[in-house]
Structures are given as C-alpha cells and as structure tokens.
Amino acid sequence: MKTYAYGKQSISFGDIWEVVKVLRSPLLTQGPKVKEFEDALCAYTGAKYCVVVANGAAALHLAMLSLELYPGDQAITTPITFAATANSVLYAGGVVKFADVQTDTANIDPIEIVKNITDKTKVLVPVHFAGQSCDMQKIREIADKHNLFVVEDAAQAIGSEYNGHKVGSCKYSDLAIFSFHAVKTVTTGEGGSITTNNKNLYEKLLMLRTHGITRNVNYFTRDEGPWYCEQHVLGFNYRLTDFACALGISQLKRLEGFTKRRREIVEFYKNAFSDDERFGYLTEMPYSKACFHLFPLLINFKKIKSDKKEIFEKLKQKNIHVQVHHIPVYWHPYYQKLGFNHGDCPVAENYYRSAVSLPLYPGLMDADLRYIVDTVKQFC
Ligand SMILES: *Cc1c(COP(=O)(O)O)cnc(C)c1O
C-alpha cells in the first residue's frame, strides 16, 4: 500500500544524471555549477545577485549578519514559521519580536508589524507561509517610513509570484532567502540561497560564506603572491557542493511543472473541502499566484467527533502522515525562557490549533487525492 507524507521530493532521471556528471568531474565543491546555479536563480527570479549556501537557516544567518545587527537591534517576524527564521536574528545578536498573523492567510499582519515597531527596530522578516507571498508593497511602505531593512523568508515560496513579480526578485526587499531542503519545492538535499539587488550586501555575503576570507585583490591590504588571500570578517563554511548545485539547476528547470501541479492539487482540495462547516482553508489573495508548499486544512474541532491527536493516529493507520505547520515559534521552551508567553499572538494560536497539513507534492495523482480526501472526511 502507498504511504503519503505531507511533502516529498520529485527526482527525475535527468536530475540524477546531472549529479552523476559532477561526481565524475574533478571538482566536487567550488566548481562551475555553483555560479551556474546562482545565475539560474537570478534569471528565474529577476534578482541581480545570488549566493547559494549550505541550507536555508545558513541563508537567514548570513542575511542578518550582512545587515550588521548590533546587540539590542530588533527584528520583527511571524510566529507561524519554522524556528530558524527567529533563530537567525538571535545568531546575529539581535532581539526578536513576534507580530500576529492575518486570519485568512496566516501571514504576518502589516497592522501588527506597525504595533511592534520601536526605535530599536532594524529589520522586518516576513515569511511567505505555505508558499503564498505576504503583501510586500505594504511591508515595504512600512519599512521605508521607519527606515528598516526587509528580509523575505521565502523558504517555502520558490516559484510563487507577488503582483506578477517572482518571489525572490527583491523588488520590495533588501534580501530574500530560499531553502532547498528535501521537503521544499526545489531541492538540493540540503541547500539554500540569498538573492539581492544590492552589490554591497552581495559582496559581504560572498565573504561570509567562506570563513570571511576573500581572494579578491580589490579587498587586499597587500598582495604577497598568487597563493595570497585575506580574512576580513568572522565568517563560516556555509558553502554548497557542486553536485548539489547541479541538482538544483536541473530541479529549477522543472519548477514551472511543479508549480502547475501544486496549484492543481490545492484546487482539488479546496473543491473537496468547500461548503462543509467542518473545514476551512487559507485564502489566496488577489496579489498572489503561489507555488504552494503546504496545504493546511483548517479543521473546526468544535464540529467534529475527534481531536487532532486521534485524527493523526487514525490517518497514520491509513498510511497518511499529516503534519502541523507551524507550532508558534514562541511556544518553544527556549523562547518561553526569553520571556514570551502563551497568548501573545492569539490569531496565530487559533490558526495553529485548527491546522493540519495534508500531503502536497507533484507526484500525487488525482486517485491519491480522492483517497486522502475521503479518508480525512471519514475521520472528521
Ligand atoms: C525550511 C524553512 C527554513 C529553514 O530551511 P533549512 O534549509 O531547513 O535550513 C526557514 N524558514 C522557513 C519558513 C522554512 O520553511
């Protein structure tokens, strides 16, 4: 019997062959595929510069470092995200604030952003939850008014559009990050990227990715010879291998197809669960054309016979492995110790209680979707 996870990679023979070719070449890391993948991401998103890194969390970390957060500087993000978003602010020595989300999108609410702005605020970190872009024009307006940077956490949103612009274009932001983790829409196993239109940030990111060391003579204090390089900042080894980049290039060519199928699946689920007071789902806004990463079904637990744990157990017995995205970040004990409390963001908490992510990946056939829908309805 088939088993269904909430997400699953799609690896073609073409993808495999591209990786094999690099494995048989002289350079496994730092070869030509790195720049080729970066150029492909620029061409796809429309951003001027791209730096690929080891994973999405590393991308967020370097994004924050490049903006030079100083101790006490504040960043505002959403609680409905993976912990890495908020962690990256802490890595860089900043302070995190959580702004509540909108009911219909579960994305950060611009009104709540404004409420959280202080004279210490330096960065806004909107997260395009489930693949749907936040209202970036509004967020940019707020940022400009208060002189703030904007970093888009687009880990879930490669392939998506905002008002006709590809997410990652940085039209309304300073930096945008993607994740290429196996469960994300485009995968390199582990991997991530940062796009920007700012040359200065781009050059900082390049240096930070390899220990803070540069081989660019323009930065040198002196030049001792062809072996010479200089470390200028405290960076990391956050490089991505050449064979991972080869997989990324090949996957990126398949992204339009992934987007089409993911949108079809979401349509299927929406039709199947509409007009039923037990169920709801997030709304796609007029400014958005999402390559959906997740389909969170919103279950009205007051109207059904089971609770969330029972539904998880019963679906598991039918080989359907659902998940919940996300536990409000500040509910984690680590964040509770920093002083956050249950009840801080009530809209996010209500969303969390009702949400169950159903399987969503391009390999699902209509027959699979029918089975999943029928089984979910049977247990609710
Ligand atoms: C997956 C994800 C990340 C982290 O990406 P990794 O590649 O797993 O490090 C960060 N933010 C969001 C919103 C994510 O979904």
Side-chain angles (χ1 to χ4, degrees), residues 55-58 60 81-82 84-85 127 153 155-156 177-181 184 190-192 293 326:
N55 53 64
L60 283 162
T81 184
F82 183 55
T85 316
V127 177
D153 182 341
Q156 305 182 0
I177 75 96
F178 291 133
S179 163
F180 308 121
H181 181 269
K184 303 287 160 66
E190 297 275 3
H293 166 58
H326 297 276

Side-chain angles (χ1 to χ4, degrees), residues 14-63:
D15 292 339
I16 292 167
W17 181 236
E18 292 304 318
V19 174
V20 169
K21 281 197 283 188
V22 176
L23 291 176
R24 299 177 66 168
S25 78
L27 295 171
L28 294 193
T29 186
Q30 304 286 84
K33 293 293 173 188
V34 176
K35 188 69 168 56
E36 209 181 306
F37 188 28
E38 289 170 343
D39 290 345
L41 286 162
C42 285
Y44 184 81
T45 58
K48 272 197 196 141
Y49 308 102
C50 177
V51 177
V52 294
V53 293
N55 53 64
L60 283 162
H61 183 191
L62 296 194

